[in-house]
Amino acid sequence: MGIPLSTPAQIGAAIRGARMRQGWTQRELAERAGVSRRWLITVESGASERAELGKVLDTLDALDARLEMSTVPSDPLAELLTELGEP
């Protein structure tokens, strides 16, 4: 089960948490992912509003993590009622 992430700060925190669970330094993860340590610091801090997607995916791959996408209903209650067959 995944954790919904919707902001750069949340993605950065998730990457930092996964790195720490692996027991890696920022330098080690940066080397494994093929990114600079400076880039990783910026992403982990949530300061990168426009991080390059390829680098994010490479970083996640190095952590044996993945990115999943899901849609969020505009009105969850209405969608649930529709699924239940309620008018």
Side-chain angles (χ1 to χ4, degrees), residues 4 6 14 19 39 48 78 80:
S6 59
R19 174 182 61 78
W39 179 87
S48 180
L80 177 61

Side-chain angles (χ1 to χ4, degrees), residues 14-68:
I15 288 172
R16 181 175 186 268
R19 174 182 61 78
M20 294 179 78
R21 283 190 296 281
Q22 292 283 351
W24 296 342
T25 64
Q26 289 174 327
R27 184 172 310 284
E28 288 171 317
L29 176 55
E31 288 175 5
R32 291 171 188 259
V35 300
S36 72
R37 182 170 175 258
R38 180 181 301 242
W39 179 87
L40 183 58
I41 289 168
T42 302
V43 168
E44 283 190 358
S45 71
S48 180
E49 290 290 324
R50 302 193 188 280
E52 185 180 328
L53 181 59
K55 289 181 179 181
V56 171
L57 294 174
D58 289 344
T59 302
L60 293 173
D61 187 51
L63 290 164
D64 291 326
R66 67 175 180 230
L67 182 65
E68 294 185 10

